[in-house]
Amino acid sequence: MNRKLLRQTANEWRTNLWLALELLIVSIIVWYIADFLYVAVATRLEPTGFDADHVYKLEYRVLPKESPRYMETEGDEKEARADELRRIVNAIRLRPGVEAVSLSMGAEPYSQNYMGTMLRTERDTLDMNVFTRRITPSHIKVLHYAPAEAGVTEDALVEKLSRGEYLVSDFYPGFNSTHGSGPNIKDLTASQLVGRRFHLFRDSVDNFTIGGVVGLVKRTSIESGGPISLFVPINESTTDILSGRIISVRVSPEADRDFIDGFNADRERLYRSGNTYISKIQSYDSVRKAADHDNMVEIRKYIACMVFMLVSVFLGLLGTFWFRTQQRVPEIAVRKVNGASNTSVFSRLIGEGMLLLALVTPVAAIVDCVLCKYEFNSVYGAFGYFSGGRFLITVIFTFVVIALMIIGGIWFPAARAMKIDPARALADE
């Protein structure tokens, strides 16, 4: 049976060649759609690298001198602002139910900032593109960043930041933003950076030590955790505290009931110092929803286009095999006259489609591999997300989907042809 199938397929090579070309193009298109959707879903399901439950975002402002409520300060104005901010932060720490308070700039959950810079070793043998996140040491406890190194605790990370050491987030080996002249650069891992001295781009004077590694950190829930974050410590005891633009507060689950209403009731009385005051408070859950909304609208547009394309491909492929099977009604009748069963006829017709699909799939997979390897498909996979597992899953999914299209395109007209009397079919021919 298989030998006859191969011989018949070879004899009809002209027709099958065009059909194989169509299957090749369709296979690449369907794989493209599958890979896009896979990356979008898998990226969203990735852990964010932090815990923002029961955490609130507070913004503070300073009254302008033109304000009638402005209070003149003695001495250095910058020192006065730092003292006012410290008093507010310490007052918030004393509020019942508050577990931890921190200051940050660019390290807030769901903040889509692009404060990028270049991280370099002392001898410039390694360059790394990083996102700069300025935080006070307590920010680790507020968001519960998980240590990526075995045996390292959350308290140990806080201690490292307190000593002035920097932290980096974990990243994939061979990450495309890591380059340089050092050996085995493609095999570099985040843990190999610990203890090494670095400086930032165009600032070779101030060198610092990488003290530890936290897990992959995502800016938003729909983006990959591939980009490297560099956590720069903020010293609360100096005017460096003013570089913290956002106050983050973690409260206990019991205190998280009507926390905003209670805080607002005391805001003017307890959380105002001099010309510095809390201007806004919101939960990070609401921040996440707002951040995801715009991104999800964009993703839905892509998905709608992909679904439309997939339906168009399905109908086109279904129509091709439907027409092909309809044209072979006399052949089906001849087989029935010669004693062929319905099962054998179905197997023969479907086998031809599966054989053509099996022949073009390796060629399509080569094209798919190139697209997947160089991330031509999805911006959500542009941060080193390529993996063999991802490629294998999407190729198998593509094969199954197209196989179902072929079976559907053959099954229905073939089943209809089976009901036609062979003599009637041959007479019509």
Side-chain angles (χ1 to χ4, degrees), residues 66-122:
E66 297 77 17
S67 173
R69 300 186 63 184
Y70 181 81
M71 302 172 59
E72 294 292 338
T73 57
E74 298 181 359
D76 184 76
E77 186 173 347
K78 193 174 182 180
E79 289 284 356
R81 298 290 169 267
D83 287 338
E84 291 171 357
L85 182 56
R86 266 190 293 271
R87 282 194 289 270
I88 292 175
V89 171
N90 290 332
I92 295 173
R93 288 191 173 116
L94 295 175
R95 185 175 184 84
V98 171
E99 296 182 345
V101 182
S102 67
L103 285 154
S104 62
M105 182 174 69
E108 303 79 42
Y110 317 113
S111 172
Q112 302 184 66
N113 71 80
Y114 292 92
M115 295 192 299
T117 186
M118 183 77 75
L119 189 66
R120 288 182 168 176
T121 55
E122 290 179 296

Side-chain angles (χ1 to χ4, degrees), residues 116-121 125-131 168-172 175-180 185 188-190 192-193 196 198-201 210 226-230:
T117 186
M118 183 77 75
L119 189 66
R120 288 182 168 176
T121 55
T125 57
L126 173 65
D127 293 336
M128 299 174 62
N129 294 325
V130 296
F131 288 142
V168 295
S169 63
D170 203 2
F171 55 87
Y172 303 107
F175 179 64
N176 58 12
S177 287
T178 304
H179 50 276
I185 197 71
L188 182 72
T189 61
Q192 293 174 319
L193 304 179
R196 297 179 63 176
F198 287 87
H199 63 265
L200 297 180
F201 181 62
I210 299 296
I228 305 171
S229 293
L230 177 69

Side-chain angles (χ1 to χ4, degrees), residues 325-381:
T325 305
Q326 285 285 79
Q327 293 294 102
R328 304 180 71 172
V329 170
E331 179 185 332
I332 295 174
V334 170
R335 293 182 184 278
K336 292 279 290 184
V337 168
N338 285 276
S341 64
N342 290 348
T343 302
S344 64
V345 174
F346 274 124
S347 300
R348 185 63 174 270
L349 295 175
I350 293 174
E352 292 178 16
M354 293 296 101
L355 177 61
L356 291 175
L357 179 60
L359 292 174
V360 302
T361 295
V363 180
I366 294 174
V367 179
D368 298 343
C369 186
V370 173
L371 295 175
C372 196
K373 179 65 176 179
Y374 294 101
E375 300 296 352
F376 291 145
N377 181 22
S378 170
V379 295
Y380 304 101

